[in-house]
Amino acid sequence: MVRRDLTPRRNSLIMGSVARKSEGGDGHFDLQYKAGWAWLTVHRPGEHGRPVYYEDVRNRMKLLGVPNVSFDTVSEIIDEASGVPQPIVKWPDGERLASRISVQVSDDGIRAWALVTHPKKGAAPPSVEDVTGELTRQGITYGIEEQAIKRLLRDGRFDQWVEVACGLEPVHARSAEITYHFNPTRGKPYLELEFGRIDLKELNFIENKEAGDLLAELVEAVEPKDGRTVRNAVVPARTETQSVELRGGANTESNADGTAVYATAAGNVRLRDGAVVVEPVVTVDNVSYETGHIRHDGSVVVENHVADGFIVEATGDIQVGKGVGKATLKAGGNVLLKTGINGNGAGWIECDGNVFTRYVESSSVQCGGHLFVQEAIMHSRVAAWRHCVLNGRRSEIIASNMIVGGSLWCKQIGSVAEGSVYISIGIPPNVLSEFRATKSKLEDAQNRLEQVQQQLRPLENRLGEGGSGPSKLIQARDQLRNSAAELMPQVSQFRHDMNEIRKRLTTMPGSMLVAENSMYRGVVVAFGTKEYRVSENGVSGTVLRRPGIDIKEEGFNPADPPEIRFET
């Protein structure tokens, strides 16, 4: 190796990776930590450019705390100036500068996310191999999405959870599928409109058929296909031990081989518990003192009003053409209110299907499907097992308490003058209700136990170690001890129940909250046990998700809105 004259080097710059621009282009270097070593990369200068000198590299090593390296080792790399990184010395302390890679796997094992922290100055940026290596160390070997990892590193998406692996969902077998000759998803315009406005006046749940009409028939089977987790474990596909059964219910008949169902009477055709039925339809002008309560095995159409204090119960759907007040509606299917409900604190809607309404005010709503509201939810308690969408002109939520098992979409949440709003996203209402009830029981049992213990301590102090004293005091002490002995296992059991339920407080994948315009102070949004509280100044155009451990907030872009997926 040829030693170079050191005299010019004494006049070099002291700090930094030399990269000054000149006619020929100056030489420059990179000194970075990677994989336990310090790596030096030297780039040759142009024809008239300034070269890299030993002192440049040495000063950078001192600044970063790199262990000493011989002059010959550094000079040789400078002389070669190959532009290729060269390891020069082990540097364990450089680990503090490197990126950290964290990995999280979904509960079903089908998806994995990675969070890569931003490397500090002096550390090489992580490579695709670094991320895939950490995935492999975590046992993730299947479905690794290298393009997603490359985009993560290329776009600098540090300090955020990014999906980096996706397994294979199992395809469950069906011995046969059923083709329906009626619309089994009518009343579900959201399947086609993609958040276009729903015209409640045009929406109708009733589809009449005549006797002899073909209602449904069987088609070919679907073969099973196993899925696979990101840890390369097989997710067995369910296999059918019996053929799919095409069942006909009331007012229908099947052909000889059971592959088709026909109507035997005129009426509204729909699915009820998986069976095709033709049900009679009750149609009335109003529900009032003239009709009394209506309880019907079928569907009910009220062309005008439901008066205060009256009940409408139907195993099928309920449609109401005009206003609903302090009334109770219970349906085995869907509920359609072509205006809305103002219950003055006593209105109640409960159904297994979806609810469509223009507004909900001072009422309680529980629906096993989706809740679609055109204009507003105000001063109400709402529990929807799936999605809740407000997509009218106002689309606002005011002073209400909501549990939404899927996603929520609206324009505005809260207001300057009205009360607070609490919204739980992505947790089924029954799980959250069970958690809250158990928590209340635990707090009550703990309070009673503390009261018993507070009353017991002075009695035990008065009776002393021997426990002798007036019989009344002894009797009182024994009663309190018995009460404490009964309460302690209750407290322990409630704590155990709380921990078990908390494991089920897992946010549904893909669930989110979209507020197109604004959210005001006093609004709290919960994803499981994580809460997002709107600041005093409020927020504008917001999308909230919980893709990993924490709640992620991003702006709403009307040109590229997020997507809520509905089942078909």
Side-chain angles (χ1 to χ4, degrees):
M1 182 184 68
V2 179
R3 289 184 177 271
R4 304 181 63 179
D5 183 8
L6 299 182
T7 304
R9 299 172 185 168
R10 296 192 181 96
N11 297 323
S12 66
L13 294 175
I14 294 176
M15 304 292 291
S17 169
V18 181
R20 293 177 300 153
K21 301 294 182 182
S22 63
E23 289 182 7
D26 291 346
H28 60 280
F29 72 95
D30 294 308
L31 182 63
Q32 295 180 322
Y33 169 85
K34 184 173 179 64
W37 286 72
W39 293 71
L40 176 62
T41 308
V42 179
H43 300 273
R44 189 178 299 279
E47 182 179 357
H48 302 291
R50 174 189 182 282
V52 173
Y53 296 123
Y54 171 79
E55 284 81 359
D56 300 332
V57 178
R58 180 60 187 152
N59 288 329
R60 173 59 68 87
M61 291 172 64
K62 289 181 180 180
L63 178 65
L64 295 178
V66 179
N68 291 329
V69 181
S70 69
F71 172 85
D72 291 344
T73 299
V74 175
S75 296
E76 182 176 357
I77 296 173
I78 291 175
D79 291 341
E80 291 179 359
S82 64
V84 177
Q86 302 289 338
I88 58 175
V89 65
K90 287 186 176 181
W91 185 19
D93 188 51
E95 177 68 23
R96 61 187 169 81
L97 305 176
S99 290
R100 299 288 185 270
I101 302 172
S102 302
V103 176
Q104 186 179 44
V105 179
S106 61
D107 291 341
D108 60 8
I110 299 296
R111 288 176 172 76
W113 298 269
L115 184 146
V116 181
T117 63
H118 203 294
K120 297 180 181 177
K121 186 174 182 180
S127 65
V128 172
E129 291 74 19
D130 292 331
V131 179
T132 57
E134 181 60 28
L135 293 175
T136 302
R137 282 189 289 276
Q138 298 276 355
I140 298 169
T141 58
Y142 183 86
I144 294 176
E145 299 176 348
E146 289 199 4
Q147 291 301 319
I149 297 173
K150 289 178 181 178
R151 288 193 298 271
L152 183 160
L153 301 177
R154 181 194 66 202
D155 300 340
R157 296 176 63 188
F158 298 114
D159 302 311
Q160 56 182 288
W161 290 99
V162 176
E163 185 174 310
V164 292
C166 183
L168 184 66
E169 296 278 0
V171 176
H172 301 299
R174 290 191 302 272
S175 296
E177 290 185 350
I178 300 172
T179 296
Y180 295 103
H181 293 274
F182 60 94
N183 182 7
T185 62
R186 66 183 181 273
K188 296 184 179 180
Y190 50 86
L191 295 178
E192 295 83 22
L193 294 183
E194 297 183 356
F195 294 97
R197 295 191 177 185
I198 298 172
D199 188 347
L200 298 180
K201 294 179 180 179
E202 296 297 328
L203 192 60
N204 200 306
F205 294 135
I206 306 303
E207 184 173 346
N208 286 310
K209 292 289 184 178
E210 299 297 328
D213 286 348
L214 174 63
L215 304 179
E217 58 187 332
L218 288 172
V219 293
E220 294 182 359
V222 174
E223 296 298 324
K225 184 177 180 181
D226 290 342
R228 195 165 292 273
T229 70
V230 293
R231 290 194 168 99
N232 207 24
V234 174
V235 182
R238 291 194 302 270
T239 57
E240 293 287 347
T241 57
Q242 295 180 352
S243 297
V244 171
E245 183 182 5
L246 175 58
R247 295 188 294 116
N251 300 311
T252 68
E253 65 178 3
S254 300
N255 60 359
D257 57 5
T259 59
V261 173
Y262 296 86
T264 60
N268 176 40
V269 59
R270 73 178 189 93
L271 289 178
R272 180 195 295 172
D273 298 327
V276 180
V277 299
V278 177
E279 58 188 15
V281 179
V282 168
T283 302
V284 296
D285 287 337
N286 298 286
V287 177
S288 62
Y289 289 102
E290 294 180 1
T291 62
H293 302 310
I294 292 181
R295 294 178 174 90
H296 178 56
D297 184 10
S299 294
V300 175
V301 177
V302 182
E303 294 183 345
N304 293 303
H305 299 277
V306 178
D308 290 350
F310 284 87
I311 299 172
V312 179
E313 294 184 3
T315 58
D317 302 323
I318 296 175
Q319 293 183 194
V320 183
K322 295 185 179 178
V324 177
K326 294 188 291 185
T328 297
L329 307 181
K330 293 184 179 181
N334 305 300
V335 172
L336 168 61
L337 308 182
K338 295 195 175 183
T339 54
I341 180 170
N342 183 348
N344 291 316
W348 179 268
I349 296 175
E350 180 180 343
C351 70
D352 294 335
N354 306 317
V355 173
F356 299 83
T357 181
R358 188 172 183 180
Y359 61 86
V360 176
E361 183 173 359
S362 301
S363 300
S364 295
V365 176
Q366 289 190 9
C367 65
H370 308 295
L371 172 61
F372 292 89
V373 181
Q374 278 194 331
E375 298 301 339
I377 298 174
M378 301 170 287
H379 306 282
S380 295
R381 300 182 67 86
V382 171
W385 263 251
R386 296 179 182 171
H387 304 310
C388 176
V389 176
L390 291 84
N391 66 340
R393 180 180 54 84
R394 292 168 57 191
S395 301
E396 61 183 356
I397 299 170
I398 296 174
S400 295
N401 189 304
M402 300 182 63
I403 304 174
V404 180
S407 297
L408 170 65
W409 186 299
C410 64
K411 290 183 179 178
Q412 177 177 308
I413 305 177
S415 67
V416 176
E418 296 287 349
S420 61
V421 177
Y422 186 92
I423 302 173
S424 173
I425 298 292
I427 304 294
N430 59 322
V431 176
L432 192 59
S433 297
E434 184 181 358
F435 178 79
R436 290 174 176 175
T438 305
K439 182 179 179 182
S440 178
K441 292 176 183 178
L442 173 61
E443 291 172 350
D444 179 64
Q446 285 176 328
N447 290 335
R448 286 188 286 130
L449 179 59
E450 289 175 4
Q451 291 174 2
V452 169
Q453 290 173 337
Q454 288 174 0
Q455 295 171 0
L456 183 59
R457 290 189 196 101
L459 284 178
E460 290 182 330
N461 290 337
R462 288 184 62 183
L463 293 172
E465 294 183 4
S468 60
S471 60
K472 288 185 177 181
L473 293 183
I474 294 173
Q475 184 180 2
R477 179 202 63 189
D478 292 344
Q479 289 177 347
L480 290 171
R481 282 180 174 178
N482 291 336
S483 297
E486 292 175 359
L487 286 169
M488 282 190 286
Q490 292 182 26
V491 170
S492 178
Q493 182 62 48
F494 288 142
R495 285 175 178 165
H496 174 268
D497 293 344
M498 282 279 290
N499 291 332
E500 291 301 311
I501 299 170
R502 188 176 281 110
K503 295 176 184 177
R504 295 155 55 198
L505 291 176
T506 302
T507 306
M508 186 185 78
S511 59
M512 61 181 166
L513 179 142
V514 179
E516 294 185 30
N517 294 341
S518 56
M519 290 197 295
Y520 290 85
R521 65 180 179 88
V523 174
V524 179
V525 180
F527 287 79
T529 56
K530 286 280 186 178
E531 287 188 347
Y532 173 94
R533 296 179 177 272
V534 177
S535 65
E536 288 293 320
N537 296 326
V539 292
S540 300
T542 305
V543 179
L544 300 178
R545 313 174 195 260
R546 191 182 177 187
I549 297 173
D550 299 318
I551 295 175
K552 176 185 175 183
E553 179 180 7
E554 60 188 49
F556 175 77
N557 180 5
D560 185 23
E563 179 184 0
I564 293 180
R565 295 185 178 181
F566 295 94
E567 76 283 0
T568 57

